[in-house]
């Protein structure tokens, strides 16, 4: 059941920018872990006797733990987001992420705590994964369900824009610290600063809790369900000869889980939504995480200085960021599928030259590789929020969209750096990694091709409101 509501009384801009802020800081927390896993964690959280390639694989494995946890977070937060509200689920996710990321900055190294160091790191990374698994659905629906029906692609992209914002924030903070802190101190305590700054997310969570209402569409659904529940309870009480309170309790117990309902009703849509996401997610992490490790590798990569490739990532994200809302707005006009599929084809072709440009070690060419790749990636990621949300009705939208998104994240970005590292180790050429990127794009292209166009649903909602 999709509920049409008028957004006239909602300050959509305020809600959208709050969604952007929440998403930006949450993804900053998630991304600083990836940056640290590429540059710092192999030396700090694993035995010094490990070969560098093995330590790097181990660090990327802890990175992947967050992705394994994301569908679990999507299920848990989706369930409660559909039952008790988008806002409460989002606030809980923000608090979890802020506290877990701050705790990473307080962990002892392997030299200090031995095997407990990587075990604690893995546990906190799992909590990060749970939190981000719940955050995306909450932040996205905060904007999407409050937006005018014909602009849901555009406003839904505000939660998506948190990704490039998080990339810029995460890499800028490492650049500043790298410049201000001596190398030996960077490994001892400098790397901890970006994690400790994550306590800011706790404050933002409290702001959302105190200052924002739940989405207009969810509130309308709750009001409608309350009326239906009251009428059904009265009928049941009269039929069974029980009290009204007992009848209401029986109906609540029979209501069932939103996550089970959406899995039973829309298994195809969940799987295709997951397939649609693997390219955007997988190629993204290969460009911002694996490329960091590869570019700074003294044995196989071009061995550029750490700030050089970090600046390429930052500027690439800044150059490509405007294309994200532009592609989302375009999808409001021409449809989600055509924009998304164009991005998948373009990204697949660009994958064939991406690492060749990185291997030059020349800053302008590395920047070109990341900026153009990120633009093509945003052609997929921009309309994705609206595409996924429109696949599911309001009553289980948080569950369905989150589950599709987070399953795609596992098979897309979760194992991408590990697979890329293993492919390069086996074939000794970056073309093997480029081929892997092409396969990811082909999977997403086929998945979106098999999905029905969704933006027509927003237009029907607009007709219902008018």
């Amino acid at each position: 059941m999709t509920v049409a509501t008028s957004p006239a009384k909602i300050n959509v801009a305020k809600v959208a920018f709050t969604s952007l802020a929440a998403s930006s800081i949450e993804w900053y927390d998630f991304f600083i872990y990836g940056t640290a896993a590429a540059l710092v964690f192999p030396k700090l959280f694993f035995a010094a006797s490990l070969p560098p390639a093995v330590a790097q694989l181990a660090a990327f494995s802890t990175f992947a733990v967050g992705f394994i946890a994301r569908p679990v977070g999507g299920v848990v937060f989706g369930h409660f987001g559909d039952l008790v509200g988008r806002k409460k689920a989002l606030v809980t996710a923000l608090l979890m992420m802020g506290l877990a990321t701050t705790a990473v900055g307080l962990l002892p190294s392997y030299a200090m705590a031995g095997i407990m160091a990587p075990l604690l790191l893995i546990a906190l990374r799992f909590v990060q994964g749970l939190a981000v698994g719940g955050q995306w659905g909450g932040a996205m629906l905060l904007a999407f369900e409050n937006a005018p029906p014909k602009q849901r692609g555009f406003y839904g992209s505000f939660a998506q824009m948190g990704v490039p914002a998080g990339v810029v924030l995460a890499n800028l903070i490492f650049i500043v610290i790298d410049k201000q802190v001596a190398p030996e101190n960077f490994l001892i305590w400098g790397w901890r600063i970006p994690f400790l700054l994550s306590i800011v997310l706790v404050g933002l969570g409290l702001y959302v809790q105190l200052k924002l209402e739940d989405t207009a569409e969810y509130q309308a659904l709750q009001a409608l369900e309350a009326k239906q529940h009251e009428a059904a309870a009265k009928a049941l009480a009269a039929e069974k000869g029980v009290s009204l309170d007992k009848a209401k309790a029986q109906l609540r117990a029979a209501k069932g889980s939103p996550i089970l309902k959406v899995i039973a009703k829309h298994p195809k849509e969940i799987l295709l939504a997951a397939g649609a996401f693997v390219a955007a997610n997988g190629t993204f992490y290969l460009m911002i995480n694996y490329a960091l490790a590869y570019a700074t590798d003294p044995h196989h990569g071009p061995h550029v200085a750490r700030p050089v490739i970090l600046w390429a990532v930052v500027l690439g994200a800044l150059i490509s960021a405007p294309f994200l809302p532009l592609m989302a707005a375009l999808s409001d006009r021409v449809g989600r599928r055509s924009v998304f599929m164009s991005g998948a084809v373009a990204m697949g072709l660009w994958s064939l030259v991406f690492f060749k440009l990185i291997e030059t070690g020349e800053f302008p060419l590395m920047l070109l590789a990341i900026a153009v790749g990120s633009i093509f990636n945003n052609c997929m990621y921009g309309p994705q929020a609206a595409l996924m949300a429109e696949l599911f009705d309001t009553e289980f939208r948080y569950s369905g969209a989150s589950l599709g998104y987070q399953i795609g994240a596992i098979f897309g970005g979760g194992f991408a750096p590990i697979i890329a590292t293993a492919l390069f180790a086996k074939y000794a050429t970056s073309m093997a990694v480029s081929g892997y990127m092409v396969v990811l794009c082909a999977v997403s292209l086929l998945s979106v091709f098999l999905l029905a166009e969704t933006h027509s649903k927003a237009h029907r909602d607009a007709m219902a409101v008018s």
Side-chain angles (χ1 to χ4, degrees):
M1 168 177 21
T2 298
V3 180
T5 59
S6 172
K9 297 181 180 180
I10 302 294
N11 187 336
V12 182
K14 176 183 176 182
V15 171
F17 280 104
T18 302
S19 171
L20 171 60
S23 183
S24 298
I25 303 175
E26 182 99 357
W27 284 116
Y28 160 83
D29 283 14
F30 202 70
F31 292 152
I32 57 173
Y33 190 102
T35 303
L39 302 177
V40 178
F41 288 172
K43 303 179 183 71
L44 285 180
F45 286 98
F46 301 96
S49 57
L50 286 178
V54 176
Q56 186 66 72
L57 273 172
F60 279 147
S61 296
T62 69
F63 176 73
V65 167
F67 288 83
I68 295 170
R70 282 172 64 168
V72 181
V75 168
V76 173
F77 283 93
H79 173 85
F80 288 105
D82 284 326
L83 281 183
V84 302
R86 288 39 169 140
K87 186 182 81 168
K88 290 180 180 178
L90 175 60
V91 168
T92 304
L94 295 178
L95 295 178
M96 280 179 61
M97 177 64 91
L99 294 173
T101 309
T102 302
V104 172
L106 300 173
L107 286 180
S109 66
Y110 188 92
M112 298 170 60
I115 192 63
M116 283 302 298
L119 291 178
L120 289 170
L121 184 67
I122 290 169
L124 290 172
R125 180 59 176 175
F126 190 85
V127 176
Q128 276 193 322
L130 290 176
V132 84
Q135 169 272 333
W136 177 79
M140 180 270 290
L141 292 179
L142 194 68
F144 176 88
E145 290 186 344
N146 279 317
K150 289 188 178 181
Q151 293 180 283
R152 285 187 154 182
F154 173 70
Y155 281 105
S157 72
F158 274 71
Q160 310 293 82
M161 283 191 282
V163 170
V167 169
V168 171
L169 289 172
N171 286 281
L172 272 180
I173 192 69
F174 271 100
I175 289 170
V176 170
I177 293 170
D178 187 76
K179 187 176 180 62
Q180 299 297 323
V181 177
E184 61 275 13
N185 290 330
F186 181 82
L187 283 175
I188 296 171
W189 57 265
W191 70 270
R192 299 179 184 274
I193 295 174
F195 291 88
L196 297 177
L197 291 175
S198 299
I199 198 67
V200 172
L201 197 58
V202 175
L204 181 61
L206 295 176
Y207 170 83
V208 173
Q209 174 64 28
L210 295 173
K211 298 294 184 179
L212 294 183
E213 295 295 326
D214 221 318
T215 70
E217 188 166 330
Y218 183 78
Q219 290 185 64
L221 174 66
Q222 290 294 94
L224 178 61
E225 287 186 342
K227 290 181 181 178
Q228 294 174 342
H229 183 79
E230 183 74 19
K234 287 179 180 178
L236 181 63
E239 178 186 348
K240 301 291 186 180
V242 297
S243 68
L244 183 60
D245 288 341
K246 187 172 182 179
K248 287 181 178 180
Q250 290 177 0
L251 287 175
R252 280 195 296 270
K255 186 176 181 180
S257 166
I259 195 72
L260 295 179
K261 285 184 181 179
V262 76
I263 290 172
K265 190 173 181 180
H266 295 291
K268 174 186 172 183
E269 285 78 5
I270 291 172
L271 292 176
L272 290 177
F277 188 40
V278 295
N281 198 239
T283 58
F284 173 78
Y285 281 102
L286 290 171
M287 289 190 292
I288 72 158
N289 286 131
Y290 177 75
L292 282 181
Y294 183 65
T296 56
D297 188 340
H299 305 293
H300 305 294
H303 193 203
V304 301
R306 185 164 57 203
V308 174
I309 187 63
L310 287 173
W311 270 116
V313 171
V314 168
L315 294 177
L318 288 172
I319 291 168
S320 64
F323 287 86
L324 201 157
L326 284 174
M327 292 300 103
L330 181 62
S331 79
D332 283 326
R333 298 177 63 86
V334 303
R336 319 297 182 205
R337 292 170 73 247
S338 56
V339 177
F340 202 116
M341 291 168 70
S342 298
V345 171
M347 187 70 241
L349 295 173
W350 190 249
S351 300
L352 299 175
V353 300
F354 177 82
F355 284 103
K356 296 302 178 185
L357 294 171
I358 296 293
E359 286 165 358
T360 66
E362 299 293 330
F363 180 79
L365 294 179
M366 292 192 297
L367 174 59
L368 178 68
I370 295 171
V372 174
S374 298
I375 289 171
F376 293 150
N377 190 283
N378 285 345
C379 291
M380 296 181 280
Y381 199 58
Q384 180 198 303
L387 184 148
M388 287 192 172
E390 288 167 354
L391 288 172
F392 308 102
D393 292 338
T394 310
E395 61 187 307
F396 41 61
R397 180 176 289 148
Y398 202 135
S399 297
S402 294
L403 194 57
Y405 186 99
Q406 304 308 343
I407 291 174
I410 286 187
F411 294 102
F415 296 107
I418 298 173
I419 292 172
T421 303
L423 285 171
F424 189 89
K426 180 174 177 61
Y427 296 105
T429 173
S430 62
M431 286 304 295
V433 184
S434 294
Y436 170 50
M437 295 171 75
V438 171
V439 170
L440 291 174
C441 292
V443 170
S444 288
L445 180 65
L446 178 61
S447 297
V448 176
F449 176 78
L450 293 174
L451 279 171
E453 179 56 67
T454 62
H455 91 301
S456 58
K457 179 183 288 188
H459 289 184
R460 289 195 301 271
D461 288 346
M463 293 294 292
V465 171
S466 60

